[in-house]
Structure formats: C-alpha cells, structure tokens
Amino acid sequence: MAAASSSSRVSSPAGWLLAARCALLLALAAGAGAARGHPPALSPVFYDASCPGAHDVARRVIQGARVSDPRIPASLIRLHFHDCFVNGCDGSLLLDDDLPAIRTEKTVPANNNSARGFPVVDDIKAALEHACPGVVSCADILALAAEISVEISGGPRWRVLLGRRDGTTTNVESANNLPSPFDSLDVLQQKFRNVNLDDTDLVALQGAHTFGKVQCQFTRENCTAGQPDGTLENLDQVTPNVFDNKYYGNLLRGQAQLPSDQVMLSDAAAPATTAPIVRRFASSQKDFFRNFVASMIKMGSISPLTGRDGQIRKNCRRVNSK
C-alpha cells in the first residue's frame, strides 16, 4: 500500500468526530449485514448489552497494576501490537505451550524475555469472567488494554472497536518475522505493508516508543562496559512514563534509542517517505494523537475472527477444551 498523504488523515477535531460517527454507522450497517449471512463487523458498542462495564473493569485492573509497575501500560500496548501482526488480532500471542497442538509465540526472539504483562491480562480476564462469564474475548482484552494504557499515560482516548473472537492456533513462523529493532527502513515498510499498514501508520505506531523501557542490547549505543544485556533503558529519556510526542523530537536530535526508530529519519529513502511525517508529529502533538488513534483502529482491525469463528477463551493461556 502506498504511503498516505497528509490530506488522507483527519485534520480537525470536528472532522475526527464526523469520521468516528461515520465509522459507527458503517459498523452498525455491517452488523445488520451479518444477519443476512455476511461476517459481522467490529463495533464500539459490541458489549453494551452483554457486558456494559467491560472497559471499566479492565481499567481498574490496569490502574492497580501500574501502582507497583509503572512500565505496565507500555508493556500492554506492545502485546496488542505483537498479537495483531501475527495471525491478525486473535489473542494467539497469549497462548502457552500445549504440545503437540500449540507452540507458543512467547519464545520467539521478538518476545522471549521481552514481551511482558501476561499476568495483568490474566487478572483482567478473571475480573471479566466474574462480571460477564464467557462474554469478552482475550483478543478484545488486548485491544481495550492498549487504549486504556495510552489514555492513563497522558495520550489520546478513543472508542475501541470490539467483537473479536479468540484464535485456537498460533503461528510461530510468522511471529519469527515480527518487526525488529534492527530492521532497516525498507524491511520495516514491507512488514507493515504486509498487514495493510502504510508509512503514516508506521511512523504513528512507532510513536508508542514514547514510553516504556528497552533492554540495552537492543539500543543504538548497545550496553556500556559491564552492563548485562538485559539492563533496562528508558525509550524516551525526557518523559519516560508519559505518552506524548517527545519521541519524535528525540529522532530529530538523533537520539532515538532503537536503530529501527532512527532510520525513519536517517535512511536514504526517508526524506521522500517517513521523515516528513516524523517532522509533522514532532511539531504537533495533536496531529500525532489523531493519526495514532486512526492507526491503532486500523491495526486493531487486522484479520479479526468474528461471528462463529474462533471461540471466547475461558483462560487466555489455553484453548477451551472440547
């Protein structure tokens, strides 16, 4: 998919409100189509009748977890990313080994000793099973957790499209091809295009590196003498626990922690592709927030299971027994 021009994105609050209303109407229309045999669409009102407090339940668990672990919001949004890029947004990342049927995606290089926050997902699932047994999928928990994590960290809020069901398989081969901190710009662009995300989506979603931490072995400076590979560094040295646009200022100053971040400005192809978008977002946090929301909704809609496909897992780590 070609890179989106700046005019292809919503550029005003009124425009964004209109776009959100249109998206809701389209979702409801698609839902009506589902009754006629078409796959049902995701919808922000999916749980309004069956589990109206789902968002509040998830938010309470995440707020509680953040008290003892300030990193958890950044960790939870990363789980949503790594889930959606493999098999679509179906909760496959959450499955533990259950050999020979299930090989977990948690031990591939991009996730091993790196992806975290699984116990918090378990706690959200337990709380939702208590409130609304067998209703909210693990895939939707990841989508809700991502939005809540951004919002409570100072970022934008949005109405999450819901109605995903959980997959019953994993895809280790695909998980082995997740975006890497050492990917070149052309490799990153191809990995995003493979899931129908363009250059604006790439730059916006990489902006999630505005909070959280990274192991020093993955940084541009690598680890200093005597530091273990797993030593943690702030991704954003300025506001490490706040979701804002400071990340893009870091790129402009050549101070991005990850090689795969800095290439969006330094690569030879960047001036005609990603660099203008980096500069836009560095100069306007509102522009970044609007585009981040649009890209999150787009990413969250990658190949969801809906209707009667998949299942609603009782335990996010295990496929339901037959």
Side-chain angles (χ1 to χ4, degrees):
M1 182 179 294
S5 67
S6 59
S7 62
S8 68
R9 295 289 182 148
V10 177
S11 57
S12 70
W16 173 246
L17 179 60
L18 177 61
R21 286 174 176 170
C22 289
L24 177 57
L25 288 172
L26 287 170
L28 292 174
R36 298 191 294 271
H38 301 295
L42 303 179
S43 166
V45 300
F46 187 84
Y47 295 117
D48 279 11
S50 59
C51 194
H55 186 278
D56 292 339
V57 169
R59 183 186 175 92
R60 282 195 295 271
V61 174
I62 295 169
Q63 286 276 39
R66 190 172 66 150
V67 172
S68 59
D69 183 2
R71 294 173 59 198
I72 202 62
S75 299
L76 291 173
I77 193 171
R78 186 164 180 254
L79 292 183
H80 187 42
F81 288 166
H82 283 212
D83 181 48
C84 289
F85 268 75
V86 179
N87 272 8
C89 309
D90 67 348
S92 63
L93 172 60
L94 303 175
L95 290 170
D96 286 342
D97 269 333
D98 189 11
L99 301 174
I102 301 292
R103 288 178 60 206
T104 186
E105 296 168 10
K106 296 177 182 178
T107 54
V108 303
N111 295 328
N112 193 35
N113 297 319
S114 176
R116 61 189 300 275
F118 298 108
V120 177
V121 175
D122 293 338
D123 289 345
I124 297 171
K125 180 62 174 175
L128 285 169
E129 285 296 302
H130 178 75
C132 319
V135 172
V136 181
S137 69
C138 300
D140 274 349
I141 287 172
L142 291 181
L144 284 168
E147 187 275 337
I148 293 164
S149 294
V150 169
E151 188 263 322
I152 65 175
S153 300
R157 61 185 305 175
W158 63 95
R159 297 191 73 192
V160 182
L161 298 182
L162 300 165
R164 301 167 192 81
R165 288 169 65 85
D166 297 321
T168 57
T169 61
T170 57
N171 190 334
V172 172
E173 181 180 359
S174 180
N176 275 315
N177 197 40
L178 280 163
S180 159
F182 305 111
D183 281 343
S184 62
L185 180 59
D186 63 321
V187 170
L188 278 174
Q189 289 171 313
Q190 186 58 57
K191 288 181 178 180
F192 275 66
R193 281 194 296 267
N194 288 344
V195 289
N196 293 319
L197 298 174
D198 59 33
D199 283 350
T200 302
D201 300 314
L202 167 62
V203 178
L205 293 173
Q206 292 281 77
H209 293 158
T210 191
F211 66 167
K213 294 180 181 289
V214 61
Q215 295 176 31
C216 64
Q217 62 180 315
F218 300 126
T219 65
R220 295 167 64 214
E221 301 298 327
N222 210 317
C223 303
T224 59
Q227 272 188 318
D229 287 348
T231 301
L232 295 175
E233 302 281 352
N234 290 325
L235 280 165
D236 174 9
Q237 304 288 351
V238 183
T239 53
N241 296 320
V242 178
F243 194 96
D244 54 26
N245 71 331
K246 298 292 193 298
Y247 159 86
Y248 298 102
N250 295 338
L251 266 65
L252 293 179
R253 291 187 294 273
Q255 296 174 351
Q257 286 279 37
L258 301 180
S260 57
D261 287 342
Q262 196 63 49
V263 295
M264 295 191 299
L265 201 64
S266 63
D267 189 273
T273 56
T274 52
I277 307 169
V278 169
R279 294 191 177 92
R280 270 177 46 208
F281 293 169
S283 66
S284 172
Q285 181 161 282
K286 287 184 178 179
D287 193 10
F288 164 48
F289 280 6
R290 282 193 297 268
N291 282 279
F292 182 80
V293 167
S295 295
M296 284 295 291
I297 292 172
K298 189 174 174 182
M299 185 191 74
S301 300
I302 297 172
S303 304
L305 299 173
T306 60
R308 296 184 178 180
D309 292 334
Q311 60 182 214
I312 306 298
R313 287 187 218 136
K314 298 175 183 178
N315 176 346
C316 290
R317 297 173 181 262
R318 291 278 183 266
V319 172
N320 295 344
S321 57
K322 295 182 180 179

